[in-house]
Amino acid sequence: MPRPTLSVRLALLSLSALTLAACSSEIPDTHPEQPVTKRQQAFKAMLRSFEPMGTMLKDRRYDPDAFARLANELASLRERPWSHFGPDTNYPPTKALPAVWEKPADFEQRRTSFIEASDRLIAAATARNEADARSAYAEVQDSCKACHRDFRR
C-alpha cells in the first residue's frame, strides 16, 4: 500500500488540530451582563491568592508576612462571585450544577461555611501562627471541595 503524500499528511494533521481546537474551546458568555464570566473570573482571582498559601505550607516555607498579605487579599475577594449566581445564570459556559438553583439553602450554607473558614484563616494569618494557619487553610480547602462536590461539574 502506498504511503500518503506529504500534502495529504499535512492536510490530515491540520484537520486533526482544528478538530481538537474546536473541542477544547470555551463557549463564550453571550449574555449582556456576562454573570457566568464574572463569577468565573472572581473565583480565579480568589485562587490566585489561595494557591500560593498552599504552596508555601506544602513546601514548608511559611512566611508569616506573605501569608497574611495573601489571606487579606483572599478576604477582599471572597464576596465577589456570589452575586453572579442569579436565577437566569444557569447557561453555558457555566460549570455550576443545577443544584445551585434547585437547592439555594444548601448552596447558601456552603457559601457561609466558606466565609466562616476564611475568617479563621485570616485570624490565623494575623496571629502569625503556622500551625493554626495550616489548620485554617485546610478548613478553607475542605469548604471549597465540599461546595465543588455538590454544586460544580
Side-chain angles (χ1 to χ4, degrees), residues 21-143:
C23 292
S24 66
S25 65
E26 286 240 353
I27 298 169
D29 185 351
T30 57
H31 287 235
E33 299 294 317
Q34 294 190 308
V36 173
T37 297
K38 287 179 181 174
R39 72 179 177 234
Q40 288 174 343
Q41 289 171 341
F43 282 123
K44 286 177 184 174
M46 288 193 310
L47 205 55
R48 285 191 295 272
S49 298
F50 190 67
E51 283 183 336
M53 287 187 278
T55 301
M56 192 183 300
L57 295 171
K58 180 179 64 90
D59 293 347
R60 301 222 174 261
R61 288 187 285 135
Y62 179 71
D63 175 342
D65 293 332
F67 196 90
R69 180 184 52 76
L70 290 164
N72 287 321
E73 205 173 276
L74 176 65
S76 73
L77 300 169
R78 68 184 179 175
E79 293 292 346
R80 289 190 183 170
W82 313 112
S83 65
H84 301 293
F85 280 98
D88 297 327
T89 64
N90 185 14
Y91 62 86
T94 190
K95 293 178 183 166
L97 293 172
V100 168
W101 297 273
E102 294 166 357
K103 300 176 182 177
D106 294 347
F107 185 64
E108 175 60 20
Q109 179 55 47
R110 292 287 188 221
R111 186 194 73 79
T112 301
S113 294
F114 165 73
I115 298 297
E116 290 170 353
S118 61
D119 282 342
R120 288 187 288 279
L121 178 66
I122 294 158
T126 301
R128 309 279 199 269
N129 182 303
E130 183 176 358
D132 290 346
R134 283 182 181 284
S135 176
Y137 182 89
E139 283 184 56
V140 173
Q141 191 171 44
D142 289 346
S143 76

